[in-house]
Amino acid sequence: CMRRQHLDHLALDQGRVDVHDDQALGPAVQPGRLHGHVDTGSSGLGRELGAEHLLLGGMLAILGLEMRNGRQSDGFALALLSVAAAAAAALWLYATGFQGAPFPDHFSVDQAAALPKAVLLALALPVLLISRDDFAETPYYTLVLASLYGACLVISSDSFPTLFLGIESMSLPVSALVV
């Protein structure tokens, strides 16, 4: 029995496992009473990304409409509605002083980011109105929404990868619009 115990310790020593027999295992202790609430840490994700979600929803609605019809359609109304709603959401975040970081150290929303988003999106509204007659039944509106999405991402970025992703999301649709 002593020899087996010695071999077991030898095997554990070779595997770099440190076991002490003299340490008593205490009973499991619960640090506090459970209250039944589970905090996932993403309770404000809808609010924090409100402007971005509305732009993304507009893009998906325009693409869905085109897929349903089987041809490119005029997405002016959907684009105008989603940009106006995104501008209102960003302005609301600014007015309420909302602060949050849905992706800590990568993406955050505060008053310093919400106001530029609101201004950018508000200035995009006249651009959409002016270009209404020139770009009917083209991918123009989807590309404009995608570019605005990237610009909003750049404004709220807190890290280089997020900044890079935002710049790419903003510039690729613009290059497609130019071609």
Side-chain angles (χ1 to χ4, degrees), residues 113-132:
L115 184 61
K117 280 185 196 180
V119 170
L120 171 75
L121 295 167
L123 290 175
L125 292 171
V127 172
L128 290 172
L129 290 169
I130 291 170
S131 61
R132 179 180 187 178

Side-chain angles (χ1 to χ4, degrees), residues 4-21:
R4 185 171 190 282
Q5 187 178 17
H6 180 66
L7 287 175
D8 287 344
H9 283 291
L10 181 63
L12 290 174
D13 287 342
Q14 288 177 347
R16 303 278 194 259
V17 177
D18 187 26
V19 177
H20 298 284
D21 295 339

